[in-house]
């Protein structure tokens, strides 16, 4: 049983549950993972309570203890800023709590070269408390948008998602993403659980779908998370690419050929090479 401590915000908690469902799409009902979502929306605002440390910690402990009491094997918190309280929270809870910053660091360490530039999109509270810097700064150059972009794009996009205005958030977040791409970040960490909701609305395949120029939009990836998100937003991602073909230095033509061949049975078509 997975315990999910949500409500920070509610939209992010629901998005996390949807990701679990999408990742397991195609299975029988009985094969889906069991989880409990505790939408603890009365948890005090994290950014405004950094100095009132125990106001937030006490509420997080209450939420985790409820999940622990209901036989959850481990707990996840779909809120990055809440991880500022992680160490003290874990000391008070008997079952494991997954640390998002730690998992992000471990994944980045596997997939990126040391000292490369990594972008971070997050709340000002997450940036100021160095939740991600504490893990990544020794191995990577962690960079954030300019102060102007942080206020006008990132902060505003987060608030728009919390208000349910995802389409507006999609437009607002764009300049911050383009800035990090322009300064050659190898990866971008979406360090606030509202940001992926806006970011993936901003992805190109959604715009391709709206153009009505294509019969099918196919996403090729070896990553199950990307596959799940692509399917969620209406693209086709019927199979996973092999790891051998997913190296960034691998030639494009063999990758395209492999995907066309694998696509034949899904789109009732055939191609000659």
């Amino acid at each position: 049983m997975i315990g999910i401590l949500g409500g920070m915000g509610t939209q992010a908690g629901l998005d996390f549950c949807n990701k679990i469902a999408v990742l397991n799409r195609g299975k029988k009902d009985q094969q889906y993972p069991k989880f409990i979502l505790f939408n603890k929306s009365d948890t005090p605002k994290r950014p405004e309570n950094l100095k009132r440390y125990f106001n937030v910690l006490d509420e997080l402990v209450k939420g985790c203890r409820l999940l622990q009491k209901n036989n959850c094997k481990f707990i996840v918190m779909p809120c990055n800023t809440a991880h500022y309280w992680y160490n003290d929270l874990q000391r008070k809870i008997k079952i494991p709590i997954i640390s998002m910053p730690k998992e992000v660091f471990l994944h980045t360490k596997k997939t990126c070269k040391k000292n490369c530039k990594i972008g971070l999109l997050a709340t000002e509270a997450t940036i100021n408390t160095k939740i991600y810097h504490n893990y990544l700064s020794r191995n990577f150059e962690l960079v954030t948008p300019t102060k102007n972009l942080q206020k006008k794009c990132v902060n505003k996009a987060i608030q728009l998602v919390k208000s349910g205005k995802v389409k507006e958030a999609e437009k607002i977040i764009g300049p911050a993403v383009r800035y990090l791409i322009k300064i050659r970040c190898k990866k971008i960490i979406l360090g606030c659980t509202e940001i992926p909701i806006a970011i993936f609305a901003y992805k190109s395949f959604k715009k391709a779908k709206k153009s009505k120029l294509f019969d099918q939009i196919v996403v090729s990836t070896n990553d199950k998370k990307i596959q799940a998100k692509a399917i969620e937003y209406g693209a086709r991602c019927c199979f996973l690419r092999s790891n051998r073909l997913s190296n960034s230095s691998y030639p494009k033509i063999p990758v395209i050929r492999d995907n066309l061949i694998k696509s034949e049975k899904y789109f009732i078509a055939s191609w000659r090479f």
Side-chain angles (χ1 to χ4, degrees):
M1 181 84 76
I2 304 169
I4 305 167
L5 186 60
M8 302 177 284
T10 294
Q11 190 77 14
L14 294 172
D15 182 59
F16 184 83
C17 293
N18 186 59
K19 284 181 170 68
I20 294 176
V22 172
L23 283 170
N24 289 275
R25 184 174 288 167
K27 294 182 179 179
K28 296 178 181 178
D29 289 345
Q30 293 76 14
Q31 294 175 320
Y32 276 71
K34 296 177 182 177
F35 62 83
I36 296 174
L37 169 65
F38 182 13
N39 192 54
K40 200 174 188 317
S41 54
D42 60 350
T43 304
K45 292 182 179 180
R46 279 65 62 204
E48 292 84 350
N49 282 275
L50 294 176
K51 293 182 179 179
R52 303 181 186 91
Y53 189 83
F54 290 97
N55 286 2
V56 176
L57 179 62
D58 291 346
E59 293 304 317
L60 294 176
V61 169
K62 288 178 186 176
C64 287
R65 281 179 177 165
L66 183 142
L67 294 169
Q68 182 177 272
K69 187 178 178 181
N70 282 275
N71 299 319
C72 292
K73 299 298 181 183
F74 63 90
I75 295 170
V76 293
M77 295 190 296
C79 173
N80 287 266
T81 310
H83 286 72
Y84 176 60
W85 289 266
Y86 176 85
N87 290 334
D88 285 325
L89 180 60
Q90 182 64 89
R91 289 188 191 102
K92 294 176 180 290
I93 302 300
K94 295 178 181 178
I95 60 176
I97 303 171
I98 303 299
S99 168
M100 279 202 290
K102 182 180 179 180
E103 293 301 319
V104 168
F105 167 67
L106 293 174
H107 179 74
T108 306
K109 197 175 179 181
K110 287 180 181 178
T111 57
C112 297
K113 292 181 179 179
K114 193 173 183 179
N115 298 322
C116 72
K117 195 176 288 186
I118 305 293
L120 174 63
L121 294 174
T123 63
E124 288 186 27
T126 294
I127 294 168
N128 293 337
T129 54
K130 299 187 181 300
I131 293 168
Y132 280 95
H133 289 76
N134 291 339
Y135 278 98
L136 284 96
S137 59
R138 291 183 183 179
N139 293 270
F140 305 100
E141 182 185 349
L142 197 60
V143 294
T144 56
T146 63
K147 289 184 178 180
N148 186 48
L149 285 172
Q150 180 68 37
K151 289 183 178 180
K152 290 186 176 181
C153 300
V154 184
N155 294 357
K156 194 169 182 181
I158 291 167
Q159 290 305 315
L160 286 168
V161 172
K162 286 180 181 289
S163 303
K165 299 176 181 178
V166 177
K167 288 184 179 179
E168 291 180 45
E170 163 192 352
K171 295 176 183 177
I172 292 293
I173 198 68
V177 176
R178 289 192 289 272
Y179 169 78
L180 293 177
I181 293 172
K182 186 177 180 181
I183 62 172
R184 297 184 178 180
C185 289
K186 295 297 181 183
K187 300 281 184 182
I188 300 175
I189 297 169
L190 308 184
C192 172
T193 40
E194 274 75 30
I195 289 177
I197 298 171
I199 289 290
F200 284 101
Y202 172 73
K203 284 292 182 181
S204 59
F205 71 75
K206 188 178 180 186
K207 293 182 178 180
K209 186 179 179 182
K210 285 183 178 179
S211 73
K212 298 182 180 179
L213 295 172
F214 310 98
D215 294 326
Q216 298 287 347
I217 300 164
V218 181
V219 174
S220 172
T221 180
N222 68 325
D223 190 311
K224 286 185 178 181
K225 292 181 180 178
I226 295 174
Q227 181 189 41
K229 183 56 69 174
I231 294 169
E232 180 183 342
Y233 278 91
R236 297 292 296 272
C237 195
C238 309
F239 49 85
L240 288 172
R241 193 195 316 157
S242 69
N243 290 330
R244 183 178 65 85
L245 297 175
S246 300
N247 189 301
S248 59
S249 62
Y250 203 85
K252 291 181 180 179
I253 297 301
V255 175
I256 295 170
R257 184 177 184 277
D258 178 74
N259 280 281
L260 287 172
I261 291 170
K262 286 182 178 177
S263 296
E264 288 181 352
K265 64 179 179 180
Y266 294 101
F267 300 105
I268 317 175
S270 62
W271 292 270
R272 291 183 179 180
F273 301 95

